[in-house]
Amino acid sequence: MILQDLKPRIKLIIAQDNLSVDDRLLKICETLEAQISYYNWVGFYFKNGDKDELKLGPYVGEGICGQVAISNQNFVVPDVSAQDNYIACSITVKAEIVIPIFVNGENIGQIDIDSNTPDPFTEADERFLEFVCKEVASLIK
């Protein structure tokens, strides 16, 4: 599936006011994991109040988030075995992408995606996931 084709689906999920925020986030995870063959774990992490820690939010699947929380930058890991600060959640994971979520300029969380495919993530994935994070930010405001 072409990433751009998923944008309307993401917008529809965000607009479902009859669902809780967590339910909508879970639907986003389910959609991404089901529609993009190399997305094998999709989840959200959010800042835990004023603490310097993240808590796991809705996710789908089995599964370099602290670094993104500090740097406020996208992080693409084409080969997790080459990363010395990678915490393995599954031996099948080969690559990871983490994109921060900003609300009013503050990094409040991130979307994290693991792939069992080596080096699958492109600039198109980064731009698409930035779009997803902006949409999610509109729920959190």
Side-chain angles (χ1 to χ4, degrees):
M1 166 147 294
I2 297 171
L3 297 172
Q4 295 299 323
D5 294 343
L6 287 173
K7 285 184 174 184
R9 285 195 198 184
I10 299 302
K11 284 186 170 286
L12 280 173
I13 293 168
I14 294 292
Q16 292 180 324
D17 293 338
N18 59 317
L19 297 176
S20 72
V21 170
D22 277 357
D23 286 343
R24 287 182 266 180
L25 293 176
L26 181 59
K27 280 183 161 273
I28 290 170
C29 292
E30 291 169 342
T31 299
L32 297 181
E33 194 267 341
Q35 297 299 318
I36 303 171
S37 63
Y38 53 95
Y39 285 17
N40 301 112
W41 188 96
V42 179
F44 289 97
Y45 289 87
F46 291 97
K47 187 175 176 186
N48 190 4
D50 291 333
K51 298 177 184 174
D52 286 334
E53 64 185 25
L54 298 169
K55 61 181 179 176
L56 181 61
Y59 68 93
V60 169
E62 298 175 9
I64 299 262
C65 297
Q67 187 169 338
V68 172
I70 293 167
S71 72
N72 297 324
Q73 302 288 319
N74 295 352
F75 199 64
V76 180
V77 182
D79 178 3
V80 296
S81 68
Q83 228 19 67
D84 60 357
N85 65 340
Y86 178 71
I87 300 170
C89 295
S90 170
I91 60 169
T92 61
V93 174
K94 304 292 187 232
E96 183 171 9
I97 186 169
V98 182
I99 308 294
I101 302 167
F102 294 98
V103 173
N104 299 322
E106 179 185 357
N107 182 342
I108 58 96
Q110 53 206 234
I111 190 168
D112 177 22
I113 298 175
D114 292 347
S115 180
N116 298 340
T117 303
D119 197 13
F121 303 115
T122 66
E123 186 175 330
D125 289 284
E126 280 193 77
R127 299 299 82 83
F128 171 69
L129 293 170
E130 287 170 351
F131 162 82
V132 171
C133 288
K134 284 179 185 168
E135 292 295 314
V136 167
S138 72
L139 283 177
I140 310 295
K141 287 184 178 181

